[in-house]
Amino acid sequence: MPTIKDIAKRAGVSHGTVSNVLNRRGNVSAEKIKLVEQAAKELGYQINSQASQLRSGTSRHVCVIVPRIDLKKYSELYAGIEQELGQQEITLELLCTNGLEYVEQRLLSKALSRNPTAVIVVSSLLKNKASVPEGTRIIMLDRYVKGFPKHSVFASFDYARAGKEIAEKCVRDGNKNIAVLCEDISFTDDKRFVEAVSEVFESEGCYFEVFAAPDSMRFNRAFDVLYAADSFDAVIARSDEDVDSLHMASRYNPDVRLPVIYAVVNKEFGLVDENRYEMNYKLMGHRIAEDILKKKEETIAEAGSFRSRPCYLVKKEETLRLLSVKNATSKAIRRLLPLFQKQSGIDVKVIEVPYDELRRMVSKMQAGQETVFDLVRIDMAWMEKDGERIYQELDMDSQPMQNVIQKLIPGISEEYSTIHGVQYAIPLDACVQMLFCRKDLFENELIKREFYEKYKRKLEVPKTFAQYNQVASFFTQKYNRRSPTVYGHTLTYGRSFVAACEVMLRYYEKNASVFDPSGNVRVSSEAMKEAFRTCLESCKYATNDTHLWWRETANMFSDGMTAMNITFSNYASDMVHSVNAKAAGKIIFSQVPGGQPLLGGGSIGITKSSSKTAECGKLFEWLYADETAEMVTYLGGFIPNRNMVKNAEVLELYPWIEDIGNMLEKGKRRNREAVNDRFDEFAFEDIIGSAFMNVIFEAAEVEAALEDAQKICDDMFN
């Protein structure tokens, strides 16, 4: 294998320079970085990350020790840890003990000898005998082990709560004779679980029997339950694999009745049996990894739960008609509605139309006038003008609406739902503008050095639009021939109201208002002129194509054409859906420059002429149920259910959703400071966007375009 000396000779630089480049440290010029990287590539040099860590005196190695790797919960745990730590160039090692104490003691000693950043262990020990080096972080999952240092962390699901809730459901369902499966009641998780189950059953006068055996004996355990002298009404199992074993055992004797199975299982995606109590081990993996990165030393606790889902009493078949814009959310809902019809007896006909057609249809709806639609989804920018006119007031005291409120992401703006304090709608596909950057470019050492040499500052995710345009220029080949992307960023301005979202984003960075002290709309201001100029400069670093919609620019970013992309979050899924997406897995997400994003997406309400308010309420409740919301979101749409921000399956695909609540809380759209009754948000955006398009297409200068826009505003609003 070539050495650092060989690389230095080939590149014509010093040994120290090669070491600094390979270990990503030191003040090395872009030219020398390129020479070293090229020489290393030509010689086939592979840096030994573990050796470099030892040389630097630090370790970036994490060891995960589990009893069995064939249990789904542990594979999910590892996946969650890897998703977080893998991005930080931390080496992960997975070790399996097969539940044997002597094997675990040996593997633990082996792991500790490597001076790891942390050891995560699901132990089969009751007491540790290995010597733990000072400073080594031990994280015990589910099972507490004596003998580890005091600063060790204990992470666990609430097994006492799980046992109590499962046992209570088992009793409610009428079961009196129950088998309880576990591994070893000496382990913390099994002990807490069985104690809680026992307390409930004893207080209810139920007979129960505990079947304890190692996981390797789960088939034996299953046969013992099914062939017991007195048959059991129900079985409480502790894993997905226990459930599979019970089903497998029952196939060998068709005459044996399989009891009702209640089970603690790993969090599943999509529909699950109502008797499954889910624990999200992938999310636990994320939590543990975050704890390691932030160097916390505190208990990590997570709760499991049964799926909550609406309960319907089907009286007669009904039909609802929903008018919606055609987008990813409406498409996903339409695909899932057959299940809602089966559950509720309500057939929902979804009429999807393009944005412009929806606007035209909503504009023609008259207050109190009969319409064929029971529900209409409108753009939230139309709420102020159209919401009160087309929607009936929602009964927020009804049970379905109370259930929806409990599921809403905390802090989501009332701009989606209320007018003058009255609730007329609920958010459907709420979204907010976000900034997305190519992680592989922003963290590339050579690119970072070239940027520093050109601008004398670090390459970072831009926080202002002045920084944003500078970074965009750097990543545009027209202005930097060595740029790895053709354009620095994307810009969407093919329609007036779309172009307005680009302009107003830059305008709100200045904390400016469109209203003067008298409540009149003022657009021919210095702040608006500056916003136009900033946006015009941004045009220099984007394609000349006039994209009509955000999906088009999201695809450009996905295809690797640009380094940055500002888009509404409900179109961000398009960046990763393509099988050839170059940005997938390489995305940094952040708030927009200036920190003043626009809200977007739509609201759904019941039309004034509809008499089917109860049926509509059931649909709302179904839409916001965890199972529906997660599937809609997974399919590329979005429903702002609070549990989406901790759904590991969804976050794996769309990591930015984890921060969507904070982003939505910062967003704005409807001008709540308006005291002008004639003001119409959508009409205003149309005016601003049209003015900007006139400037782009060289029909007018900035000052003249804004003067014309001011005259229109005077006629319409002032």
Side-chain angles (χ1 to χ4, degrees), residues 75-91:
S75 64
E76 290 292 296
L77 171 75
Y78 184 81
I81 296 169
E82 197 278 331
Q83 284 169 18
E84 288 289 333
L85 298 187
Q87 301 178 28
Q88 307 298 323
E89 297 185 357
I90 293 177
T91 303

Side-chain angles (χ1 to χ4, degrees), residues 329-349:
T329 299
S330 67
K331 180 180 179 181
I333 290 172
R334 181 166 44 80
R335 289 179 169 182
L336 303 179
L337 278 170
L339 176 62
F340 176 66
Q341 182 178 4
K342 181 179 179 181
Q343 292 173 336
S344 67
I346 301 169
D347 181 19
V348 182
K349 305 291 187 186

